[in-house]
């Protein structure tokens, strides 16, 4: 019996082969494709087939880099959680002016939610938050941001760690919630104005704590 060629063979079409690229570049490409799929569909509805197709590679190529969907998702979480913590730490280290630091912390969260490809959804709105590995990463990011602010408050005011940490939780919580509300409201307030408003509110409270040398922080 003679085998009949399939539609692709009859038309002379062949599946395009993925362009060869360094492993790190391929990994970045796959992560970008996965982010688009996860944000659009959520973790549970997303399929490795969808991600491979979005990246323009075969599933074997995808599995060479990530053994499964969860590992791919966790790699994205690591990337974006680390980015958020870095933004907050950089805001704390960028200046010794605490008023500017407060504004910088607010901006870190606003920039994060306003960043590339709605990546903030993977951290703040994941449909996989009950998974222990996901929960651990999100909690680690939250703790990293809180710790960065806590250390700064302790160094400048001399208050105890417990009190500094409570203030840091309030500050980062306000930043996250305000930034997410701002985005959900279709950026009704211009971003610089939104940051300035929330920073001014936070500063009115935290500036009441004197510096360690007894001077008011004005």
């Amino acid at each position: 019996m003679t085998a009949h060629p399939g539609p692709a063979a009859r038309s002379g079409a062949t599946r395009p082969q993925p362009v060869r690229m360094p492993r790190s570049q391929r990994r970045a490409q796959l992560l970008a494709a996965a982010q688009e799929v996860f944000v659009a569909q959520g973790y549970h509805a997303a399929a490795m087939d969808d991600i491979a197709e979005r990246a323009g590679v075969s599933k074997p190529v995808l599995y060479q880099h990530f053994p499964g969907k969860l590992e791919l998702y966790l790699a994205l979480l690591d990337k974006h959680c680390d980015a958020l913590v870095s933004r907050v730490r950089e805001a704390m280290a960028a200046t010794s002016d605490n008023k500017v630091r407060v504004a910088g912390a607010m901006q870190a969260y606003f920039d994060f939610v306003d960043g590339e490809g709605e990546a903030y959804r993977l951290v703040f709105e994941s449909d996989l938050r009950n998974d222990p590995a996901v929960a651990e990463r999100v909690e680690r990011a939250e703790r990293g941001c809180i710790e960065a602010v806590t250390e700064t408050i302790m160094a400048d005011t001399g208050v105890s760690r417990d009190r500094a940490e409570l203030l840091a939780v309030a500050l980062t919580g306000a930043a996250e919630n305000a930034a997410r509300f701002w985005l959900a409201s279709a950026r009704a307030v211009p971003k610089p104005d939104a940051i300035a408003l929330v920073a001014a509110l936070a500063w009115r409270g935290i500036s009441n704590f004197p510096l360690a040398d007894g001077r008011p922080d004005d």
Side-chain angles (χ1 to χ4, degrees):
M1 180 181 291
T2 303
H4 294 285
R10 288 197 300 268
S11 66
T14 57
R15 180 172 182 169
Q17 296 298 309
V19 177
R20 295 183 65 85
M21 59 180 63
R23 184 173 182 82
S24 59
Q25 188 177 348
R26 175 69 74 195
R27 179 182 172 88
Q29 177 206 24
L30 296 174
L31 286 173
Q35 179 172 310
E36 292 178 6
V37 174
F38 285 136
V39 168
Q41 302 181 17
Y43 176 83
H44 294 294
M48 292 293 269
D49 285 317
D50 300 328
I51 296 168
E53 182 178 351
R54 183 68 60 92
V57 302
S58 65
K59 280 180 68 177
V61 169
L62 180 57
Y63 281 113
Q64 285 174 11
H65 294 264
F66 301 99
K69 187 169 71 167
L70 179 59
E71 288 77 12
L72 184 50
Y73 193 86
L74 293 177
L76 274 171
L77 265 186
D78 284 335
K79 173 185 174 183
H80 294 303
C81 285
D82 290 348
L84 175 58
V85 175
S86 292
R87 286 178 188 271
V88 175
R89 287 198 173 278
E90 287 167 7
M92 296 299 100
T95 178
S96 59
D97 185 325
N98 285 326
K99 186 174 183 179
V100 177
R101 279 176 170 154
V102 169
M106 297 299 167
Q107 182 166 353
Y109 280 87
F110 274 80
D111 286 348
F112 184 70
V113 303
D114 196 32
E116 172 196 355
E118 297 189 333
Y120 78 96
R121 294 187 183 279
L122 301 175
V123 180
F124 296 140
E125 299 177 6
S126 171
D127 57 350
L128 202 63
R129 288 290 292 265
N130 290 331
D131 182 273
V134 172
E136 186 275 331
R137 282 162 169 79
V138 173
E139 182 179 351
R140 188 174 65 202
E142 291 172 348
R143 294 300 309 173
C145 294
I146 291 167
E147 185 64 19
V149 178
T150 297
E151 291 169 357
T152 302
I153 293 173
M154 287 177 62
D156 281 358
T157 67
V159 301
S160 69
R161 169 166 287 278
D162 288 341
R163 286 174 168 74
E165 192 170 50
L166 186 59
L167 289 170
V169 168
L171 182 65
T172 56
E176 177 191 331
N177 285 301
R180 292 173 63 188
F181 179 84
W182 169 80
L183 194 65
S185 66
R187 303 175 176 86
V189 178
K191 184 175 171 181
D193 295 349
I195 293 170
L197 281 170
V198 182
L201 177 65
W203 179 245
R204 282 181 179 274
I206 204 166
S207 62
N208 289 320
F209 290 85
L211 297 173
D213 60 8
R215 293 182 295 108
D217 198 354
D218 49 33

